[in-house]
Amino acid sequence: MILADLAPQALEDGACFLARQDPDWARHIAAIGPCLHAATPGREPYEALVRAIAYQQLHARAAEAILGRLLAMFPAQAFPSPEQLLQVTPQVMRSCGFSASKAATLHGIAQASLDGIVPSRAQALTLCNEVLIERLVSLRGVGRWTVEMLLIYSLERSDILPVDDFGVREGYRRMKGLSKAPTPAQMRVLGQGWSPYRTLAAWYLWRA
């Protein structure tokens, strides 16, 4: 099992580590306060991916409504199984509010779960970050950012920096008072100095 420490003491230690990076980090962390990062441990990767796709490029309330209409079709359980999701036709998914592209992606995730490409949580806990990313971005509609959200929230990995996330790069620009946000490649280099607390760094940058 690959352990990731996001216990309260680890969050405190990580905030202190980042505050020692430079005066900008110190001021920012003092202004934000303690790290309150909250993961959703226990959620299976299949469910986490389906939920992430539902929220892609949508306001949270709109995504919740669309996902809620899908889940309402399965009142006897908290979340439909891959087999059940595959039985939902694209037309019905469209009536829930999913685009044709998202409907195809959700079916692809469900089938990949049955085929063993999407691992169970127990299996995922044994796989390193890059192995999981490479494995799951092979699926239609699943990008690196989506898998990184799975790593951060479902698998509680403590050293993930989603450099493609606009909020992370814009947060760094604001914290540093820059005229232009760093590129993803530049952000990746900058983030190397924040390891092993890059998940915490992302949390603080999102709040800038």
Side-chain angles (χ1 to χ4, degrees), residues 16-34:
C16 290
F17 172 84
L18 294 170
R20 292 195 297 269
Q21 294 291 310
D22 59 45
D24 293 322
W25 268 110
R27 282 192 296 269
H28 182 56
I29 290 174
I32 299 299

Side-chain angles (χ1 to χ4, degrees), residues 4-192:
D5 190 356
L6 287 174
Q9 185 59 54
L11 296 180
E12 183 178 339
D13 292 345
C16 290
F17 172 84
L18 294 170
R20 292 195 297 269
Q21 294 291 310
D22 59 45
D24 293 322
W25 268 110
R27 282 192 296 269
H28 182 56
I29 290 174
I32 299 299
C35 179
L36 302 177
H37 171 69
T40 53
R43 186 170 285 172
E44 286 290 319
Y46 153 71
E47 179 181 345
L49 289 174
V50 169
R51 289 180 178 275
I53 294 301
Y55 277 79
Q56 274 183 359
Q57 301 175 324
L58 286 177
H59 188 280
R61 288 185 180 179
E64 287 168 5
I66 292 170
L67 186 60
R69 286 192 283 271
L70 177 65
L71 298 185
M73 298 170 58
F74 304 94
Q77 58 204 90
F79 203 82
S81 68
E83 293 90 344
Q84 290 172 319
L85 190 59
L86 284 170
Q87 292 174 1
V88 181
T89 66
Q91 292 77 15
V92 172
M93 283 196 181
R94 291 296 300 276
S95 70
C96 291
F98 291 103
S99 67
S101 177
K102 282 191 176 184
T105 295
L106 295 184
H107 274 170
I109 291 170
Q111 187 60 56
S113 182
L114 294 178
D115 293 341
I117 298 171
V118 176
S120 67
R121 177 174 171 80
Q123 292 168 335
L125 289 173
T126 69
L127 301 174
C128 70
N129 299 334
E130 288 303 321
V131 167
L132 275 168
I133 290 171
E134 182 178 356
R135 183 166 168 174
L136 296 178
V137 297
S138 66
L139 303 178
R140 169 183 171 156
V142 177
R144 186 181 180 94
W145 179 89
T146 301
V147 185
E148 288 170 337
M149 295 304 103
L150 163 68
L151 291 168
I152 289 173
Y153 290 102
S154 295
L155 300 180
E156 300 180 278
R157 300 288 169 92
S158 54
D159 198 27
I160 303 295
L161 184 67
V163 299
D164 296 311
D165 191 292
F166 172 80
V168 167
R169 301 198 312 276
E170 176 65 10
Y172 185 82
R173 184 194 72 78
R174 294 187 182 190
M175 183 182 74
K176 287 293 186 178
L178 304 174
S179 60
K180 183 179 179 181
T183 65
Q186 291 169 333
M187 200 77 215
R188 187 171 292 106
V189 174
L190 290 166
Q192 290 175 358

